[in-house]
Amino acid sequence: MNRRYPPAVSLVLDLSQSCVTRVGMTYPVSPLATPFPDLPQIDGVTPHVVRAGYKDWGRCDLTYVTFEEGTAVAGIFTKNLCCSSEVELGRENIRQGQARALVVNAGNSNAFTGYRGREAVEQIMDQVAAHLGCAKEQVFVSSTGVIGVPLPKDKAREGVEKALTAEPCSWKDAANTIATTDTFAKGATATAMIGDTKITISAIIKGSGMIAPDMATMLGYLFTDAAVDPAFLQKCLSAANRSTFSCITVDSDTSTSDTVLAFATGKAGNAPLTSFESPGADAFYAAIHEVCAQLAHLVVRDGEGASKFIAVTVSGAVSDESARKVGMAIANSPLVKTAIAGEDANWGRVVMAVGKAGEPADRDKLSIGFGGIWAALEGMPVPDYDEAPVAAHLKGQDVTIEVDLGLGDGIATVWTCDLTHGYISINADYRS
């Protein structure tokens, strides 16, 4: 989709504490953290959090969000073939286009758990549906955490029972509750005008490791008061995903549980959006896309052990998709990522990554730069290349890598982080 959308979006972000305890361990908050925004409440949406006790970590770990009748839903899910029952059922339920509730369990991904895992999810769906008096297909469930351990049905039942009567909570509480190895709560908000009606989007996300989604990211949820047809909401979310969530990577690993859901209550009272021809549809899509982009960037900024936020822009490719694949090859390269961690402008590693991508490339047309300064042009090192300003750029927290393939008009930007000893420490101790 080669549309250009108006910048009719206001977006704010925010910051957290200096240390955080997750999955039984204490981590320093990412140096790339941003503040949690003041997310507006969305008419027709009510979040709650409780402690189900999926892990012995002394914190809330079950998020329960209710929606008023008539709420539309859209979703994108992991392409991992070993996905959880939550993902399988979510794919089935999304087809009917309506939602009354969302339940998110943290500490246990319930993936690779066979029929016992599916029974636990269906139990949650039945329990919530009976309470709300709705079809079970209108209850969406996500789980995140350790793979291979069935979600305890007794803890899930008791946790949901508490959630059904829990007091409403803030969006920050909800964002913290869905987290696992995240070091800061992540949220974004935007507004747009549809005719004379202002619509609002509030969104939260979790994700820090096992990020190379090829569809979405860990767990992300968008909530809006706009009136939107479910099919058009799906079209907007899928289109936004292609240049946001599908363009990030932390470690090249695609999760078994990745899910992004968008819920639209219709309470703003705008004329319902049914297609891109509807008045205000472009502004609505611009807001959806901006929120998705900010959420995706926040996940990378909280990459496990990350100290640098890296944007890789590839131009001159034979197509936009080819440019994205080359960019992801660079962003996923351990050699490139460790060079950036060490603040080493080793552009030879970028050459390697371009060449291994499996996409059209010509070494004699290839140009590579850092921070807007070219180190190599058209297959040759730049004469009298001065590495000092590039070294200064790499000392910062935000790093850019530019690659021009010199073959066509294709262009893409992907985002990643550096690879440090912190990543090893977190993942070596994850199940401890």
Side-chain angles (χ1 to χ4, degrees), residues 163-313:
L164 297 178
T165 56
E167 291 295 316
C169 71
S170 70
W171 286 123
K172 188 171 184 179
D173 287 339
N176 275 315
T177 298
I178 67 175
T180 51
T181 58
D182 303 57
T183 70
F184 65 96
K186 305 172 183 66
T189 183
T191 60
M193 295 302 296
I194 300 177
D196 295 329
T197 304
K198 178 182 176 181
I199 66 94
T200 302
I201 302 169
S202 289
I204 59 174
I205 199 164
K206 67 86 52 182
S208 185
M210 205 179 286
I211 304 294
D214 194 27
M215 51 59 63
T217 188
M218 291 297 285
L219 299 180
Y221 308 102
L222 286 72
F223 310 96
T224 179
D225 54 6
V228 190
D229 177 77
F232 182 60
L233 184 62
Q234 183 66 57
K235 186 175 291 187
C236 289
L237 186 62
S238 296
N241 164 65
R242 285 194 287 272
S243 57
T244 60
F245 298 124
S246 284
C247 289
I248 64 171
T249 180
V250 168
D251 47 22
S252 82
D253 287 331
T254 299
S255 169
T256 56
S257 307
D258 292 339
T259 298
V260 170
L261 297 171
F263 304 92
T265 67
K267 295 297 182 179
N270 59 284
L273 302 175
T274 59
S275 73
F276 277 109
E277 306 308 314
S278 299
D282 279 5
F284 175 73
Y285 176 74
I288 288 284
H289 186 279
E290 183 65 18
V291 167
C292 289
Q294 292 295 333
L295 293 177
H297 293 182
L298 287 170
V299 170
V300 174
R301 288 187 174 278
D302 202 15
E304 290 172 344
S307 67
K308 312 278 188 186
F309 178 81
I310 307 168
V312 181
T313 297

